[in-house]
Amino acid sequence: MKKRIEDFAKLENEGADTLPSAERRRFLRLGLTVTGVFAGGTVLSLTSSRPARGALVGGEMLRKDPYKPHYSMVIREDRCIDCQRCMDACVKTNDVPEYGYRTTILERELEVGPGEKQREFMPVLCNHCNRPPCVRVCPTKATYKDEKTGIVMMHYEKCIGCKTCMAACPYNARYFNEEKRAIDKCNFCFDTRLSKGEKLTACAAACPADVRIFGDIADPDSRVYKLVHEPTRVVWVLRPETGAMPNVFYTKG
Ligand code: SF4
Ligand code: SF4
Ligand code: SF4
């Protein structure tokens, strides 16, 4: 059965409640003010004011995390037609087993008029968080944030399968790979594509609707930078209350 957006929003994990209050205060100081409810409660839209964006992608965070390139993805979610070519491409490229996933499409049905319903889709994947709870809790440092690219990666051989990172991830982005005997997750196709000179991830390259825009958010000429900095565009991240600071941004249009 398809996973629903509402279920995603209700996921239990370490969440904001267990974040030290200093962390939460810092998150708010960065200008990530919650301005309204987006789509079902805990998925909230952020202020789209310029200062908020500067704080999110160009200010304090980038100075603190000077990745070069700083890989990010913008998802233009209302363009998604649920064709699932992104999922198929990910499975083929990254040898994802049938019971696992690195990306999926969540779904919701909205009442848009009397007896009239509309389906909405939301692609999700690892957010390559700037402050990743999964990395913080891993007892063996099997999962880590790559110092060069900001990608959250796995040392499979160091993973002891304790699943602590799975419980800590606010985005349900990890699964246990029986064959690898280790946790697996999206790594922005680093080993399978980026390290071989490809510019796009498999899911972004396969999408016929240009939903997934991938690139270097530290580069003002990149599509991701331009989309996130467009003055009138509303951009949000999922579950900002956790303080994880995702590098996957959502927008419409
Ligand atoms: S989305 Fe989850 S797995 Fe990915 S970096 Fe954030 S906490 Fe870790
Ligand atoms: S970036 Fe690569 S690994 Fe991540 S979801 Fe897309 S295809 Fe899968
Ligand atoms: S390939 Fe693009 S349109 Fe198709 S399901 Fe994935 S994100 Fe949606």
Side-chain angles (χ1 to χ4, degrees), residues 80-86 105 123 207-209 211-212:
C80 179
I81 53 173
D82 194 32
C83 66
Q84 303 189 8
R85 289 196 204 170
C86 52
I105 310 291
C207 177
V211 172
R212 298 173 183 242

Side-chain angles (χ1 to χ4, degrees), residues 12-19 133 136 167-170 239 241-243:
E12 282 189 15
N13 47 59
E14 82 169 344
D17 295 345
T18 56
L19 273 179
R136 191 169 70 224
C169 172
R239 309 200 65 193
E241 76 281 5
T242 66

Side-chain angles (χ1 to χ4, degrees), residues 169-181:
C169 172
Y171 302 100
N172 205 18
R174 298 174 160 255
Y175 74 96
F176 184 74
N177 186 305
E178 300 286 347
E179 290 72 35
K180 288 179 180 160
R181 303 301 301 160

Side-chain angles (χ1 to χ4, degrees), residues 2-3 7-8 12-13 29 51 57 71 73 78 85 87 100 103 108-110 126 128 151 168 182 184 203-204 230 242:
K2 270 203 90 122
K3 292 193 182 118
D7 298 338
F8 173 81
E12 282 189 15
N13 47 59
R29 224 180 31 240
V57 295
Y71 287 124
M73 191 176 282
D78 58 330
R85 289 196 204 170
M87 290 166 65
T103 183
R108 165 195 12 244
E109 218 166 56
L110 297 170
C126 170
H128 299 282
I151 296 176
D184 192 31
C203 55
E230 226 173 77
T242 66

Side-chain angles (χ1 to χ4, degrees), residues 125-129 132-135 152 168-174 185 244:
L125 67 165
C126 170
N127 284 260
H128 299 282
C129 308
C134 56
V135 170
V152 174
C169 172
Y171 302 100
N172 205 18
R174 298 174 160 255
K185 63 178 272 297

Side-chain angles (χ1 to χ4, degrees), residues 90 94 102-103 125 186-189 201-203:
C90 180
N94 300 299
R102 287 181 173 211
T103 183
L125 67 165
C186 161
N187 62 358
F188 274 162
C189 297
T201 63
C203 55

